[in-house]
C-alpha cells in the first residue's frame, strides 16, 4: 500500500503571532514553527496503516526552506521518504494554488491512499485536501475520526453535528483528519537520527511541470485585504458560592443577565 | 525494560551558551586534528533557545574567539555602541549616579536576546555536524557498576500518564552513552544535583546561592523617549527592594522598538512575605521606569534564576567521564552581571580538554583535570577571581557593604575578608513576621500583567496528563509547619502561580499544584525554607516557548 501524507509547517498559534508591517501577513521571525497538528494525525494514521498492511509512507510538503524541518519530523516519526516542493514562485499561493502544486506532484508518484489534515491552523481554509482530490479525480472523505481498510475500499467514520456518518469509497482516495482519530507518536531520538539519512527529494515547479503564473502569489484568486488579531482574552471570572445550588444559580444569572447568552 | 542505547564521544546536557559553544569548539578541534568526534547535545526545550532567558548585554569576547566571523554569520545583535546609566531609585525619585563603576561599562558589548542567540548558535552547531536534540530532557546520569564513572545520560520517557502508567503513545527514553558527559544545565541542574551527591562535587565548597528574575520584552510606541535616549543600558538599585535585599532592575534597548526589562531579586531575602513578582510590578510602576515604557505592550514574559556564588561556590569541575560547565559550574560573573561569555568560555575550555583526553584515550578525572587548570589560567579565571567576594558583600547591611566593595575594588577582589562566607538561600527567611503586602492594583493586561497572563505570554505548555515534575517529599509540612512559620512562601516566590494554598472541606488549608504553569526557573527548590521541593524535568519539550527573551 502506497500512502502519501501531505504536511504543512505552520506557526504555533500560541506563540508570538504579530501582524507584519504590510498588514496582510504575519511576522515570520519571532514565531515558533511546528507541523500542522491535523497533519500529525495524518502521519500517525499512515504509519499505523503501514504497520498493519505493509507498504510505504511518503510525506509531501510545499513550502520554503524551513518546511524541511517538518518533513524531517515526519521522517523521524517513521515515514520512509519525503518530497519537498520548494520554489520561490510557489510562495504566497492560496489554497487552490497549493492544491494545484500538490496534485501535480502526486501525479508523478504512486499512491493508493492520500492523507492530510482537515485544515491548516494558520489560514483555516479547509480547502487543500478536497481540492487535491478533485484535481486528481479521486473521491475524498473529510473529517475522519476512524479509518478502516477493506478490500480495495476505504471506510471512514466522519463526525457530523450530533453523531457520526460512516462512508466508503474505492481506492485510491483522499482522507482528511479530525481530532480524535489517534494520538500521534513522539519523534524518538533514534528516529530523529535515522531521519537524517532518509531520502528527501527537493522539487521545483518546473520539475512538476506547473506554470508559475497559475500558482503562488501571481495565481491567487483569493486576496487577503487585512489581518486583525482576535480581541484580547478577557480575564477568567470564578463563580463562587456556599453550595452547589448557589453556584449554579449565580452561573445562570451571569449567563442570562450579563453575558446575555441564555 | 530494554532501552535503546546510542553511543557518542561526548554528550552535552543543555543547549545554552555553555553547551553549544563547547559542542562547536569540539567540532572545530576535530576538524583541525582530522579526527572524528561524535557530539550530541540535548535540551529539554521544545526548540533551540525556547528555554533561554537572559538580559542580555553580551560581552563578545568568547564569541569572537569561537567564531571570529560571528557578524558575517548573522549573529542576532539588537543594539551596539552601548552607553550606560545607573540610577538609585527611591519610591518617587531617580538619582543618576555621576559615574558608572568600571565593571559595569559596556562599550564593547552588545544587547542580544539569548533565545535568538541560542537558536543561532544551535544552527551553527548542526552545520558543524553536532547532533542537536531539542525536546529531550536528561533525567538520570548513568554510572558504571562501581558508581564512580559517569557513562552518559538517560533521556526521559514520554507518554506516561499522571499515575505513571504508559499511554498509547508511550515512547521510552534512551541511554546516551559517552566517553565524556558534560553537565551544562544552567542554574541548579536537576541531573547534576543527583550526580554531584554521588560524586561529591559540591563537598567542601561554599553553598550555591542564587538570584531570581522576572523579565519581559516590551514593544514601545514610536514616540517613546527610550528609543532615542543616549543610554541604551540602564541599571537601577534601591526601590522597590530597598537597600537590605540585594538585587536591581535593568532596561536594555533592543531592535524593532523593543526593550528588555527585568528585576533581579537576591534569594537570600529574609521577609517570607516578599514576592519577587510583586516587586517586579512595583519596579515597572516607578515613575522613571513607567515613563520609559509608557504606552508599551508586553510581548513575552519569563523568569529564571542566576547562580551568583561565583568562584568559591564552583563545584569540583571534573569527575571520571564528566565535566561541569557554565552556570551549572557557577561561571557567572555577578559583579559584571554577565554569564553568557563566561559560560561560553568554560564550554570552549572544556572542549579543548576533552579533545586532548580523547586523543590520549583517557577520559578519567585526572585527564580531565586540565579543564580546571585551563580555566584558572585563562581570562575567565582572572575575571571570576576578581569577583570572588562580590555577592557576599552585597548580602551585607548597606554600610559595611560599601566598605567591603571598596576594599575589593582596590585589591583585585580580595577585600577585607577572603573568602567571605555565603549562606544558603533556603536558610535566610525569618519566621513569624507576616505583614500582608498590598497587591499591586490596576493591572491592565497589556503593559502590567498578573502572573497568569505572564505565564500565558511565556508560551508555557506542558502535556497535562503526566506525572507531577515537582516532588514534595513531606506534603504534610506544607499546611502545618511551613504555613505556621512562613505562611507558605512558595505561593509568593514562584513567579508562575504553580503553588496555591486552598481551603479544602472543613476549612483546612490544602496545597494545590499547577505544574503546567512552571516556567522552569527552579526558585522553589532553591528558596523553600524546609527544603521540601525537588524540581525534576517534566516531559521533554514541555515548558516555556520563548523566542525573544
Ligand atoms: C534575568 C537574567 C539576566 C541576565 N543578564 C545577563 C547579561 O546581561 N549578560 C550576560 O552575559 N549574562 C546575563 N545573564 C546570565 C546568563 O544568561 C547565564 O549566565 C547563561 O545563560 C548561562 O549559560 P548556560 O549555558 O550555562 O546555562 P543556560 O543558559 O541556563 O542553559 C542551560 C540549558 O540547559 C537546559 N537543561 C537544563 N537541565 C536540563 C536537563 N536535565 N536535560 C536537558 N536540558 C536541560 C535548559 O533548558 C537550558 O536550555 C542573565 C541571566 C538572567 C536570568
Amino acid at each position: 500500500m502506497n500512502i502519501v501524507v501531505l504536511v504543512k509547517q505552520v506557526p504555533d498559534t500560541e506563540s508570538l503571532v504579530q501582524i507584519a508591517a504590510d498588514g496582510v501577513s504575519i511576522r515570520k521571525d519571532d514565531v515558533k514553527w511546528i507541523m500542522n497538528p491535523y497533519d500529525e494525525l495524518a502521519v500517525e494514521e499512515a504509519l499505523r496503516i503501514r504497520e498493519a498492511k505493509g507498504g510505504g509512507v511518503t510525506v509531501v510538503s510545499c513550502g520554503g526552506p524551513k518546511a524541511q524541518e517538518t518533513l524531517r519530523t515526519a521522517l523521524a516519526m517513521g515515514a520512509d521518504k519525503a518530497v519537498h516542493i520548494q520554489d520561490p514562485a510557489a510562495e504566497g499561493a492560496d489554497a487552490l494554488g497549493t492544491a494545484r502544486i500538490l496534485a501535480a506532484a502526486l501525479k508523478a508518484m504512486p499512491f493508493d491512499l492520500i492523507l492530510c489534515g482537515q485544515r491548516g491552523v494558520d489560514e483555516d481554509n479547509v480547502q487543500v485536501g478536497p481540492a487535491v482530490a478533485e484535481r486528481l479525480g479521486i473521491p475524498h472523505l473529510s473529517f475522519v475520526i476512524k479509518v478502516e481498510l477493506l478490500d480495495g475500499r476505504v471506510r471512514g467514520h466522519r463526525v457530523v453535528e450530533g453523531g457520526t456518518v460512516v462512508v466508503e469509497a474505492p481506492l485510491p482516495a483522499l482522507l482528511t483528519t479530525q481530532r480524535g482519530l489517534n494520538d500521534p507518536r513522539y519523534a524518538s531520538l533514534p528516529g530523529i537520527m535515522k531521519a537524517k539519512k532518509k531520502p528527501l527529494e527537493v522539487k521545483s515547479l518546473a520539475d512538476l511541470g506547473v506554470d508559475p503564473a497559475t500558482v503562488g502569489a501571481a495565481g491567487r484568486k483569493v486576496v487577503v485585504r487585512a489581518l486583525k488579531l482576535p480581541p484580547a482574552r478577557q480575564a477568567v471570572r470564578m463563580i463562587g458560592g456556599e453550595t452547589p445550588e448557589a453556584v449554579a444559580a449565580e452561573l445562570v444569572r451571569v449567563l442570562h443577565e450579563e453575558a446575555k447568552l441564555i | 525494560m530494554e532501552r535503546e542505547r546510542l553511543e557518542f564521544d561526548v554528550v552535552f546536557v543543555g543547549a545554552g551558551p555553555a553547551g553549544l559553544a563547547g559542542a562547536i569548539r569540539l567540532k572545530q578541534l576535530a576538524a583541525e586534528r582530522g579526527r572524528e568526534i561524535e557530539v550530541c547535545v540535548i535540551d529539554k526545550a521544545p526548540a533551540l533557545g525556547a528555554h533561554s532567558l537572559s538580559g542580555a548585554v553580551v560581552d563578545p569576547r568568547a564569541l569572537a574567539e569561537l567564531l571570529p566571523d560571528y557578524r558575517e554569520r548573522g549573529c542576532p545583535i539588537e543594539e551596539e555602541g552601548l552607553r550606560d546609566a545607573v540610577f538609585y531609585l527611591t519610591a518617587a525619585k531617580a538619582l543618576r549616579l555621576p559615574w558608572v563603576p568600571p565593571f559595569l561599562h559596556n562599550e564593547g558589548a552588545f544587547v542580544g536576546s539569548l533565545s535568538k542567540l541560542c537558536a543561532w548558535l544551535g544552527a551553527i552547531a548542526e552545520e558543524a555536524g553536532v547532533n542537536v536534540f531539542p525536546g529531550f530532557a536528561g533525567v538520570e546520569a548513568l554510572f558504571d557498576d562501581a558508581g564512580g564513572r559517569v557513562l552518559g545520560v538517560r533521556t526521559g520517557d514520554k507518554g506516561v500518564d499522571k499515575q505513571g502508567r504508559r499511554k498509547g503513545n508511550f515512547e521510552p527514553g534512551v541511554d546516551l552513552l559517552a566517553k565524556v558527559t558534560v553537565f551544562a544545565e544552567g542554574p541548579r541542574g536537576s541531573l547534576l544535583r543527583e550526580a554531584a551527591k554521588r560524586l561529591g562535587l559540591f563537598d567542601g565548597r561554599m553553598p550555591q546561592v542564587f538570584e531570581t528574575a522576572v523579565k519581559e520584552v516590551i514593544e514601545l510606541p514610536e514616540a517613546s523617549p527610550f528609543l532615542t535616549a543616549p543610554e541604551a543600558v540602564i541599571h537601577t538599585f534601591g526601590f522597590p527592594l530597598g537597600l537590605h535585599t540585594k538585587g536591581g532592575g535593568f532596561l536594555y534597548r533592543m531592535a524593532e522598538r523593543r526593550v528588555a526589562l527585568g528585576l533581579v531579586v537576591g534569594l537570600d531575602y529574609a521577609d517570607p512575605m516578599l514576592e519577587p513578582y510583586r516587586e517586579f510590578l512595583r519596579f515597572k510602576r516607578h515613575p522613571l521606569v513607567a515613563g520609559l515604557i509608557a504606552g508599551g505592550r508586553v510581548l513575552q514574559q519569563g523568569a529564571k534564576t542566576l547562580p551568583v556564588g561565583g568562584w568559591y561556590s564552583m563545584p569540583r569541575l571534573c569527575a571520571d567521564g564528566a565535566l561541569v560547565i557554565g552556570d551549572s559550574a557557577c561561571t557567572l560573573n555577578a559583579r559584571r552581571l554577565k554569564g553568557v561569555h563566561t559560560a561560553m568560555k568554560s564550554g570552549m575550555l572544556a572542549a579543548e580538554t576533552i579533545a586532548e583526553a580523547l586523543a590520549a584515550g583517557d577520559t578519567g578525572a585526572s585527564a580531565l583535570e586540565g579543564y580546571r587548570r585551563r580555566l584558572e589560567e585563562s581570562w575567565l579565571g582572572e575575571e571570576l577571581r576578581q569577583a570572588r567576594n562580590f555577592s557576599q558583600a552585597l548580602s551585607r547591611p548597606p554600610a559595611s557593604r560599601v566598605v567591603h566593595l571598596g576594599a575589593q575594588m582596590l585589591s583585585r577582589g580580595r577585600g577585607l575578608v577572603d573568602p567571605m562566607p555565603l549562606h544558603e538561600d533556603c536558610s535566610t527567611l525569618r519566621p513569624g513576621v507576616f505583614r500582608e503586602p498590598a497587591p499591586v492594583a490596576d493591572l491592565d493586561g497589556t503593559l502590567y500583567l498578573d502572573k497568569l497572563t505572564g505565564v500565558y505570554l511565556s508560551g508555557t505548555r506542558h502535556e497535562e496528563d503526566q506525572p507531577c515534575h515537582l516532588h514534595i517529599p513531606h506534603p504534610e509540612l506544607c499546611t502545618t509547619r511551613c504555613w505556621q512559620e512562613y505562611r507558605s512562601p512558595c505561593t509568593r516566590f514562584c513567579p508562575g502561580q504553580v503553588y496555591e494554598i486552598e481551603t479544602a472541606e472543613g476549612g483546612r488549608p490544602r496545597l494545590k499544584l499547577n505544574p503546567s504553569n512552571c516556567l522552569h526557573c527552579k526558585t522553589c527548590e532553591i528558596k523553600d525554607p524546609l527544603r521540601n521541593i525537588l524540581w525534576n524535568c517534566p516531559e521533554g519539550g514541555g515548558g516555556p516557548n520563548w523566542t525573544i527573551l
Side-chain angles (χ1 to χ4, degrees):
Chain A
M1 175 93 121
N2 287 311
I3 311 166
V4 178
V5 187
L6 309 177
V7 297
K8 182 177 190 189
Q9 190 180 43
V10 296
D12 185 341
T13 48
E14 283 182 48
S15 68
L16 181 60
V17 176
Q18 290 178 285
I19 296 170
D22 65 8
V24 294
S25 62
I26 64 159
R27 293 183 47 154
K28 301 217 159 59
D29 36 1
D30 296 330
V31 294
K32 181 181 163 210
W33 294 88
I34 56 170
M35 187 192 300
N36 180 33
Y38 293 102
D39 302 350
E40 274 186 7
L41 302 175
V43 173
E44 175 64 33
E45 200 61 23
L47 297 174
R48 289 186 187 187
I49 295 171
R50 185 193 65 190
E51 278 153 17
K53 309 265 171 192
V57 174
T58 305
V59 283
V60 180
S61 186
C62 175
K66 245 183 118 51
Q68 235 186 61
E69 297 166 0
T70 288
L71 288 170
R72 290 279 174 213
T73 303
L75 293 173
M77 287 171 76
D80 302 291
K81 57 183 185 195
V83 177
H84 183 193
I85 306 154
Q86 191 199 317
D87 196 317
E91 266 165 46
D94 59 13
L96 295 181
T98 304
R100 185 189 285 267
I101 297 169
L102 291 170
L106 281 156
K107 277 186 188 142
M109 58 177 84
F111 58 83
D112 303 299
L113 188 63
I114 303 172
L115 289 160
C116 65
Q118 45 130 312
R119 66 192 162 99
V121 297
D122 50 356
E123 292 179 27
D124 272 347
N125 281 319
V126 205
Q127 290 174 16
V128 171
V132 167
E134 282 307 304
R135 288 217 157 255
L136 295 174
I138 60 171
H140 85 265
L141 316 180
S142 56
F143 296 93
V144 298
I145 53 160
K146 184 173 169 194
V147 178
E148 294 168 87
L149 281 164
L150 318 165
D151 204 17
R153 298 179 71 76
V154 58
R155 181 184 293 161
H157 298 240
R158 308 179 64 230
V159 236
V160 292
E161 189 150 350
T164 50
V165 181
V166 182
V167 284
E168 266 184 43
L171 294 176
L174 183 145
L175 306 181
T176 76
T177 61
Q178 173 64 310
R179 263 184 225 286
L181 175 62
N182 56 43
D183 215 348
R185 69 193 63 190
Y186 296 88
S188 72
L189 207 144
I192 297 172
M193 298 272 287
K194 281 183 208 132
K196 292 186 179 171
K197 303 201 179 81
K198 289 184 180 172
L200 190 154
E201 217 181 324
V202 181
K203 291 197 170 169
S204 66
L205 292 184
D207 295 336
L208 304 176
V210 174
D211 174 4
T214 60
V215 295
R220 279 194 86 98
K221 300 207 167 46
V222 178
V223 178
V224 179
R225 292 277 172 227
L227 282 185
K228 288 206 182 78
L229 288 172
R233 292 181 323 152
Q234 298 279 305
V236 170
R237 174 152 148 218
M238 298 301 289
I239 291 177
E242 292 294 307
T243 59
E245 290 78 9
V247 178
E250 173 65 6
L251 176 63
V252 170
R253 191 195 64 78
V254 169
L255 289 176
H256 181 64
E257 291 173 18
E258 296 179 24
K260 301 207 171 18
L261 286 174
I262 52 174
Chain B
M1 176 182 21
E2 260 306 296
R3 284 172 192 278
E4 201 153 344
R5 302 167 145 217
L6 297 173
E7 284 188 37
F8 297 92
D9 292 308
V10 186
V11 170
F12 289 86
V13 184
L20 290 171
I24 293 171
R25 186 76 194 113
L26 258 177
K27 279 295 190 185
Q28 290 175 343
L29 291 164
E32 280 167 26
R33 293 163 187 229
R35 206 171 169 270
E36 273 296 308
I37 302 183
E38 282 295 334
V39 185
C40 159
V41 183
I42 59 168
D43 202 292
K44 61 184 166 60
L48 282 167
H51 287 183
S52 300
L53 179 156
S54 188
V57 176
V58 180
D59 177 343
R61 189 166 188 178
L63 187 56
E65 287 178 14
L66 181 70
L67 303 164
D69 55 349
Y70 66 95
R71 285 173 189 281
E72 292 73 43
R73 301 185 74 157
C75 174
I77 292 173
E78 302 282 333
E79 177 94 20
E80 313 185 72
L82 307 180
R83 281 173 51 187
D84 297 81
V86 180
F87 288 90
Y88 169 69
L89 305 184
T90 68
K93 289 210 176 69
L95 306 169
R96 182 161 177 187
L97 295 200
W99 61 248
V100 174
F103 46 82
L104 280 182
H105 278 271
N106 285 310
E107 286 98 54
F110 66 83
V111 176
S113 142
L114 195 65
S115 327
K116 289 191 197 174
L117 277 166
C118 285
W120 172 75
L121 276 175
I124 290 180
E126 278 188 319
E127 251 171 64
V130 178
N131 295 286
V132 190
F133 298 118
F136 294 90
V139 295
E140 192 184 334
L142 303 168
F143 286 90
D144 66 355
D145 291 337
R149 188 182 172 93
V150 180
L151 299 178
V153 312
R154 175 166 296 168
T155 65
D157 295 341
K158 295 182 178 182
V160 178
D161 75 7
K162 271 202 170 77
Q163 277 75 40
R165 292 176 305 224
R166 294 179 187 183
K167 293 189 277 189
N169 59 356
F170 175 72
E171 185 63 51
V174 294
D175 287 348
L176 303 171
L177 303 178
K179 300 193 180 88
V180 184
T181 303
V182 187
F183 295 98
E185 299 174 273
R188 196 68 162 211
S190 48
L191 267 189
L192 184 62
R193 179 186 69 215
E194 301 304 322
K197 274 186 211 155
R198 231 160 142 161
L199 300 167
L201 296 183
F202 289 116
D203 296 356
R205 310 297 300 164
M206 284 213 192
Q208 304 284 304
V209 298
F210 299 87
E211 297 177 352
T212 198
V214 182
K215 180 195 166 178
E216 287 173 348
V217 169
I218 298 173
E219 186 178 66
L220 297 175
E222 253 149 70
S224 171
F226 189 50
L227 296 177
T228 47
E231 289 80 17
V233 173
I234 293 177
H235 288 111
T236 72
F237 66 105
F239 182 87
L241 299 172
L243 288 173
H244 291 273
T245 301
K246 73 181 172 194
F250 65 85
L251 286 105
Y252 303 152
R253 188 161 66 217
M254 302 171 71
E256 303 177 277
R257 292 203 336 252
R258 292 173 179 176
V259 55
L261 170 152
L263 182 78
V264 182
V265 181
L267 285 180
D268 60 349
Y269 64 81
D271 178 3
M273 300 309 281
L274 187 143
E275 178 163 8
Y277 192 87
R278 177 175 174 273
E279 300 306 310
F280 171 73
L281 289 175
R282 297 210 302 149
F283 167 65
K284 287 176 69 178
R285 279 278 167 78
H286 185 277
L288 173 80
V289 182
L292 291 171
I293 61 174
R297 180 169 70 98
V298 179
L299 298 176
Q300 257 173 36
Q301 192 192 80
K304 192 164 188 268
T305 44
L306 306 81
V308 292
W311 188 251
Y312 291 120
S313 298
M314 280 182 121
R316 193 150 63 78
L317 296 176
C318 2
D320 283 332
L323 288 176
V324 190
I325 63 174
D327 271 4
S328 292
C330 292
T331 57
L332 181 132
N333 181 345
R335 198 164 78 125
R336 293 184 65 204
L337 312 167
K338 289 188 181 65
V340 173
H341 69 295
T342 53
M344 291 182 71
K345 182 68 178 176
S346 74
M348 291 154 66
L349 295 172
E352 280 155 30
T353 311
I354 294 168
E356 227 172 64
L358 289 175
D362 175 8
T363 53
S366 49
L368 297 176
E369 195 57 45
Y371 164 50
R372 171 172 278 283
R373 203 194 58 242
R374 281 186 160 89
L375 191 150
E376 282 174 2
E377 289 166 4
S378 68
W379 56 256
L380 174 55
E382 177 58 26
E383 235 196 271
L384 295 180
R385 272 192 301 275
Q386 284 195 28
R388 66 189 180 273
N389 291 307
F390 183 79
S391 245
Q392 291 90 320
L394 286 190
S395 298
R396 292 293 169 97
S400 80
R401 181 187 311 162
V402 176
V403 176
H404 281 290
L405 289 177
Q408 288 174 20
M409 269 178 74
L410 297 175
S411 61
R412 303 184 75 72
R414 183 162 41 84
L416 301 178
V417 185
D418 183 29
M420 276 176 91
L422 284 166
H423 304 285
E424 260 190 295
D425 300 318
C426 59
S427 68
T428 59
L429 284 186
R430 264 193 325 261
V433 274
F434 307 128
R435 274 176 301 105
E436 190 79 53
V440 179
D442 299 329
L443 303 181
D444 59 14
T446 306
L447 181 57
Y448 297 97
L449 314 178
D450 61 15
K451 276 189 187 178
L452 287 183
T453 310
V455 171
Y456 174 72
L457 285 184
S458 71
T460 296
R461 242 174 314 159
H462 291 88
E463 166 60 51
E464 292 286 335
D465 191 12
Q466 66 168 305
C468 182
H469 69 282
L470 301 159
H471 179 51
I472 301 186
H474 302 288
E476 71 285 357
L477 290 180
C478 300
T479 48
T480 54
R481 216 183 118 197
C482 195
W483 167 256
Q484 287 147 14
E485 294 180 12
Y486 305 101
R487 285 291 181 277
S488 305
C490 56
T491 58
R492 289 178 293 279
F493 56 58
C494 170
Q497 209 161 315
V498 169
Y499 302 89
E500 288 179 301
I501 297 285
E502 16 163 70
T503 325
E505 267 164 60
R508 286 173 48 83
R510 197 181 61 155
L511 178 72
K512 178 177 168 235
L513 291 177
N514 311 308
S516 314
N517 285 0
C518 179
L519 300 167
H520 294 206
C521 73
K522 306 181 185 172
T523 304
C524 53
E525 181 178 305
I526 295 164
K527 190 58 183 169
D528 178 25
L530 304 184
R531 303 179 197 222
N532 197 18
I533 303 175
L534 291 175
W535 193 98
N536 295 309
C537 289
E539 187 175 288
N545 275 287
W546 298 322
T547 53
I548 56 174
L549 289 187

